[in-house]
Amino acid sequence: MTKKTTTLREHLDDFIADTLARCTRCGKCFEACPMTRYSDGLTNAEPQATVSGVLDWLRQTPGNAESVAWLKVCTQSSRCIDACPEGINAMKMVRVGQMSAMGSLDVPAEQTKLIGRDAKDFFRVINAFAGTQMTAEEIERWQR
Ligand code: SF4
């Protein structure tokens, strides 16, 4: 049997579709995040509203200010992954949200200016990975 080759973009599109279908916007991933206390933009953030903003970025439309603040403060602690009752990789959800906010998906450049320069440099590296057209198995291995 021929092994199916999946581009990074196809992998991301599958992940986005699955996350949008299964996320209940309960906000438990946001509540588990140890970094939110370090962002002034998240002082009064509603977990459900913040996650909804991230899901907007996954839809490739600009999310709210709280979602941008969360995307910026993530340090990949991975606490959010265990917190999700739906088994969604919430850290990856945030990561893909960052990619969208950086314009790595199809979000117009004028809508991606909310994220700082350091993050943009990081996502240029992500784009380089996308250019290699890795298979899904290789992406999973890389993520580990
Ligand atoms: S914990 Fe899971 S289901 Fe709840 S908002 Fe986060 S990703 Fe969605």
Side-chain angles (χ1 to χ4, degrees), residues 22-30 51 83-86 88 90 93:
R22 293 196 296 122
C23 176
T24 62
R25 297 154 186 75
C26 68
K28 291 190 188 308
C29 51
F30 179 82
V51 171
C84 178
E86 306 303 323
I88 293 169
M93 175 183 77

Side-chain angles (χ1 to χ4, degrees), residues 3 25 38 97 109:
K3 194 168 87 176
R25 297 154 186 75
Y38 300 110

